Amino acid sequence: MTTATRPARSRAQRRIGDTRWGKALAVTLALTTVTAVLFLGYLRVSWTVAATSDGAAEALQARDMLAGNWLLHGWMIGDVSFYTTELPEYVLVELIRPFGVGVIHVAAAATYTLLVLAAYWLARGRAVGRAGLVRGVLAAVIMLAPQLGYGAFVLLLSPDHVGTQVPLLIGWLLLDLAPRRWWVPTLLCLLLAWVQFADRAAVLTAVLPLMVVGAVTAVRAALRRRSARGEPAGGYELALIGAAVVSVGLSWAAARLLAAAGGFAAHPFPLTFAPLSLLWTHARLTGWGVLELYGANFADVTGRVGVTFAALHVVGLTLATAALAVALFRFLRPARAEGAGLVDSVLAVAIVANLISYLLSIDPGTMLGTGYEAREIAAVLPLGAVLAGRIFGPALRWPGIRTPWGSEAKATVRSISTVFWFSAVFLVIAGYGSAFGYAAAQAPRPGEYSVLADWLAAHGLRYGLGGGPSANVITVDSGGQVAVEPTEVRMGRVGALLYQSSAAAFDPRRHDARFLVTQLPAVGPARPAETTAPYPAVLATFGPAARTYRFDGYTVLVWNVNLLTRLRE
């Protein structure tokens, strides 16, 4: 090499380096912009639905943790804690913004944004370039625009198992991209235990599918006696099964350690099956819930815009359903089991397990006809979208068709086919984008109890009692200026409701409760009104009130004594 040629090569190397840095910078800016647009859009959509007691409880727990109660000592939560999934996100949000109902909406928007991005990357998988982009975009578009009303309520408001899918999708991405090494099952075991500690529904949507797919794949590999690099046939799949089993034990042990350390207590996880006579009704409600999750439900949709967007979302649901059928077929056919990807099979089995368990449980009928319990099958949306991207994404790269004619005719037909298919894809993407923009442009809905909270604060009523767990929403709607603790009636007396609440909140040595709010209205879309304390029970527990106020449909009773000293034990 001569001296004269060295500067030219050096300049070429610099140009290559500059190109790489420029490409990396462009990708980073594009990803940042897309993330910001999604987050702001989902934040707007979230505000179209009023906050509920589930999200309010998470916000209150996060505030208590920031006050130093990191183990949530004294708290009685529901059957799912979200302690290691959604709750840390609430803590981070409350670190950067004031406590209030906005915390719930910001956390919900952040969760769904992360879910869409995780679905994009998992659908992309090992594909690169345009092929990977098409696969990822297809999955993201199917999830892009939650349906206004019930759809936004389930996907963009409360924890409700939506956030559980974020770490699980990351785990499946690890399983998809990482080499078949011992450390992959180890990391997956720890991640599954982490998620199960927060949401035991992950046993059905992650642990069981991984065990089933691993067992079937291992058996088939053993029968074929095929092994890469001389390892035992199916050894990697057996390691995945072991990781899934061990994760259950780790989660159980962590829960016992938390209880021994004085942490929160949880209600038992419901395992009640529905009677056979209700299976047809539950099947209908299950289908109704799936339509809601995919934004394709025409019930209660009015106007041309709503009907058009619902019809457009049928495309996404159809692709997801077809992708599920293809993935199951590839997994179940014994002749060519290698045609089924491990991750594709896990996702498909997870969808089936989630739907069947929901169908057979009492959940569909809990809020009969409201769709509220569709949150229990929230995993069906991201998993179906990812399958659609992974299975049908590659087909979109070759929109042309073959013909028996000459080369010129082939080129013409191929060009026409290309224009047709890409026009159809563009229209679908544009339609989903329009639905997203339309939903984000809707006026925000005020807090269900914001007016009442302002009224209580204006009258100097800072600490009191309310009916049902929705009392938490009043506290959050007030931004912490007013605290209303939940109560229930037992044997004709008013007592503390230890559900999504802390025992410390009812300690008369710490707090002085002077009022009771009754006749609370419905919470959330089509939620039945909370059972309020009847006046005979109130009178028997607290005696006659010193003052009575009636405001905007509420009755506020005020006493001159601390009501916490008279609550039924």
Side-chain angles (χ1 to χ4, degrees):
M1 179 182 297
T2 64
T3 305
T5 61
R6 288 178 182 173
R9 183 177 182 182
S10 178
R11 286 194 296 270
Q13 290 176 340
R14 287 198 297 270
R15 285 196 297 270
I16 293 175
D18 292 342
T19 302
R20 290 176 177 174
W21 277 106
K23 184 177 180 180
L25 179 60
V27 171
T28 302
L29 290 176
L31 182 60
T32 302
T33 302
V34 170
T35 302
V37 170
L38 290 176
F39 171 75
L40 294 176
Y42 292 134
L43 181 61
R44 290 280 305 181
V45 178
S46 177
W47 276 103
T48 62
V49 189
T52 64
S53 59
D54 288 335
E58 295 290 313
L60 291 170
Q61 291 163 22
R63 185 179 66 168
D64 205 8
M65 292 175 70
L66 289 174
N69 187 11
W70 292 102
L71 298 182
L72 295 178
H73 173 73
W75 274 86
M76 174 61 75
I77 61 173
D79 53 13
V80 179
S81 71
F82 306 108
Y83 186 74
T84 55
T85 52
E86 289 284 307
L87 197 51
E89 187 176 49
Y90 274 75
V91 171
L92 292 176
V93 172
E94 291 187 19
L95 281 174
I96 60 178
R97 67 159 295 140
F99 175 80
V101 71
V103 170
I104 302 174
H105 295 291
V106 170
T111 294
Y112 199 73
T113 300
L114 292 174
L115 187 63
V116 173
L117 294 176
Y120 169 85
W121 288 110
L122 182 57
R124 185 184 180 101
R126 294 179 177 273
V128 296
R130 292 183 180 179
L133 182 65
V134 170
R135 289 169 53 155
V137 168
L138 179 58
V141 167
I142 292 176
M143 298 177 59
L144 181 63
Q147 195 168 32
L148 287 172
Y150 293 132
F153 176 68
V154 172
L155 297 173
L156 278 170
L157 193 62
S158 303
D160 295 344
H161 310 293
V162 175
T164 301
Q165 293 305 311
V166 175
L168 288 181
L169 291 187
I170 294 175
W172 305 141
L173 185 63
L174 171 69
L175 184 62
D176 191 38
L177 300 183
R180 295 165 67 93
R181 298 290 188 271
W182 65 268
W183 51 268
V184 175
T186 302
L187 290 180
L188 199 57
C189 173
L190 296 176
L191 187 144
L192 289 176
W194 179 273
V195 175
Q196 290 172 73
F197 186 84
D199 185 356
R200 282 167 285 187
V203 174
L204 290 172
T205 60
V207 175
L208 179 62
L210 184 61
M211 293 175 62
V212 170
V213 174
V216 172
T217 306
V219 169
R220 285 173 174 169
L223 292 176
R224 289 184 174 85
R225 299 297 181 186
R226 293 181 180 177
S227 174
R229 291 183 290 275
E231 68 213 29
Y236 183 72
E237 287 75 17
L238 292 176
L240 292 177
I241 297 174
V245 174
V246 172
S247 71
V248 177
L250 289 177
S251 175
W252 180 88
R256 301 289 78 76
L257 288 175
L258 181 80
F264 62 82
H267 281 264
F269 191 73
L271 292 174
T272 305
F273 290 97
L276 294 178
S277 59
L278 292 179
L279 288 185
W280 172 249
T281 300
H282 283 200
R284 178 175 57 83
L285 292 176
T286 301
W288 194 93
V290 171
L291 290 174
E292 282 292 346
L293 291 173
Y294 278 88
N297 198 342
F298 291 87
D300 299 325
V301 173
T302 58
R304 293 183 179 178
V305 174
V307 173
T308 300
F309 288 153
L312 186 65
H313 280 72
V314 173
V315 177
L317 176 58
T318 302
L319 287 175
T321 304
L324 173 62
V326 171
L328 288 175
F329 174 75
R330 291 176 178 175
F331 171 62
L332 295 176
R333 60 179 180 177
R336 295 184 60 188
E338 67 273 11
L342 185 63
V343 171
D344 291 358
S345 299
V346 170
L347 299 183
V349 174
I351 293 175
V352 173
N354 198 188
L355 291 176
I356 291 179
S357 62
Y358 182 70
L359 173 67
L360 297 179
S361 71
I362 61 172
D363 287 332
T366 303
M367 301 290 179
L368 189 63
T370 68
Y372 180 73
E373 293 303 323
R375 56 185 180 163
E376 303 290 344
I377 52 173
V380 171
L381 173 61
L383 300 186
V386 169
L387 279 178
R390 293 172 68 92
I391 290 177
F392 293 121
L396 295 178
R397 292 183 300 159
W398 305 102
I401 59 176
R402 296 181 179 180
T403 67
W405 310 314
S407 58
E408 294 184 1
K410 287 182 180 180
T412 301
V413 173
R414 194 177 297 272
S415 298
I416 295 175
S417 178
T418 300
V419 172
F420 172 79
W421 282 107
F422 275 100
S423 297
V425 171
F426 174 78
L427 289 176
V428 171
I429 294 176
Y432 270 82
S434 300
F436 180 44
Y438 178 82
Q442 299 306 300
R445 179 175 177 177
E448 198 78 26
Y449 302 105
S450 57
V451 175
L452 174 62
D454 292 341
W455 185 91
L456 292 172
H459 285 73
L461 301 174
R462 303 294 180 177
Y463 206 96
L465 306 174
S470 299
N472 288 337
V473 188
I474 303 177
T475 304
V476 177
D477 267 341
S478 72
Q481 297 183 50
V482 176
V484 179
E485 305 302 332
T487 61
E488 62 179 348
V489 176
R490 300 189 301 270
M491 300 177 64
R493 298 286 296 273
V494 179
L497 176 59
L498 293 179
Y499 178 83
Q500 298 284 33
S501 60
S502 170
F506 301 96
D507 189 347
R509 296 168 297 180
R510 298 185 182 184
H511 306 287
D512 185 10
R514 296 298 179 108
F515 67 89
L516 172 71
V517 179
T518 63
Q519 299 179 358
L520 299 184
V523 180
R527 291 290 304 278
E530 298 289 347
T531 301
T532 60
Y535 187 72
V538 173
L539 189 63
T541 307
F542 306 117
R547 296 184 301 280
T548 300
Y549 299 96
R550 287 181 173 81
F551 168 75
D552 196 27
Y554 305 97
T555 298
V556 182
L557 306 174
V558 182
W559 286 261
N560 294 325
V561 296
N562 187 355
L563 302 182
L564 300 180
T565 62
R566 300 183 179 182
L567 277 177
R568 181 184 180 88
E569 297 295 333

